[in-house]
């Protein structure tokens, strides 16, 4: 028999607290990835594409909230995680370039 939630939706362990856990936190990787893509487009001065990514990401947030795919805090942390990971990747790139590499992975053998 199917178990239905309060509004008639199918229930799952992620929808409602399970056992002693009163809060389930897992940031939205979809939102984080879209934020990273938007920041990258802004860095490349592709403003129209960055605006498109931001708009689609906003629609994605609305979709995830309305379908209860994530909690609100998960989406906010997804935005923060995207900004953090983009910043860390930028620092890595600067360090790699400062160490004399024109292109990353130049010392790896090419597959033929």
């Amino acid at each position: 028999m199917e178990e239905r939630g309060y509004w008639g939706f199918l229930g799952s362990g992620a929808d409602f607290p399970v056992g002693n856990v009163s809060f389930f936190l897992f940031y939205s990787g979809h939102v984080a990835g879209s934020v990273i893509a938007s920041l990258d487009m802004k860095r490349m001065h592709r403003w129209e594409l960055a605006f498109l990514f931001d708009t689609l990401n906003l629609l994605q947030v609305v979709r995830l909230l309305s379908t209860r795919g994530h909690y609100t805090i998960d989406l906010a942390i997804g935005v923060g995680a995207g900004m953090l990971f983009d910043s860390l990747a930028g620092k890595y790139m600067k360090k790699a370039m400062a160490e004399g590499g024109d292109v990353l992975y130049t010392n790896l053998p090419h597959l033929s």
Side-chain angles (χ1 to χ4, degrees), residues 31-106:
V31 171
S34 185
V35 167
I36 291 170
S38 173
L39 291 172
D40 193 42
M41 291 300 108
K42 289 174 186 170
R43 215 175 359 266
M44 302 297 290
H45 301 286
R46 298 182 74 182
W47 305 111
E48 295 85 9
L49 202 51
F51 179 74
L52 176 67
F53 286 163
D54 288 336
T55 303
L56 291 174
N57 203 16
L58 183 62
L59 292 173
Q60 177 171 244
V61 165
V62 169
R63 176 189 61 88
L64 285 169
L65 285 174
S66 64
T67 61
R68 299 184 331 176
H70 279 286
Y71 291 114
T72 306
I73 190 71
D74 297 343
L75 301 173
I77 291 176
V79 170
M83 296 168 107
L84 173 68
F85 297 150
D86 183 71
S87 172
L88 290 174
K91 290 178 183 180
Y92 172 77
M93 292 292 289
K94 283 181 185 177
K95 183 179 177 187
M97 298 301 265
E99 292 176 355
D102 289 335
V103 180
L104 292 178
Y105 309 115
T106 56

Side-chain angles (χ1 to χ4, degrees), residues 3-12 15-16 68:
E3 195 174 313
R4 298 216 174 249
Y6 182 77
W7 295 102
F9 297 111
L10 290 175
S12 72
D15 287 342
F16 303 101
R68 299 184 331 176

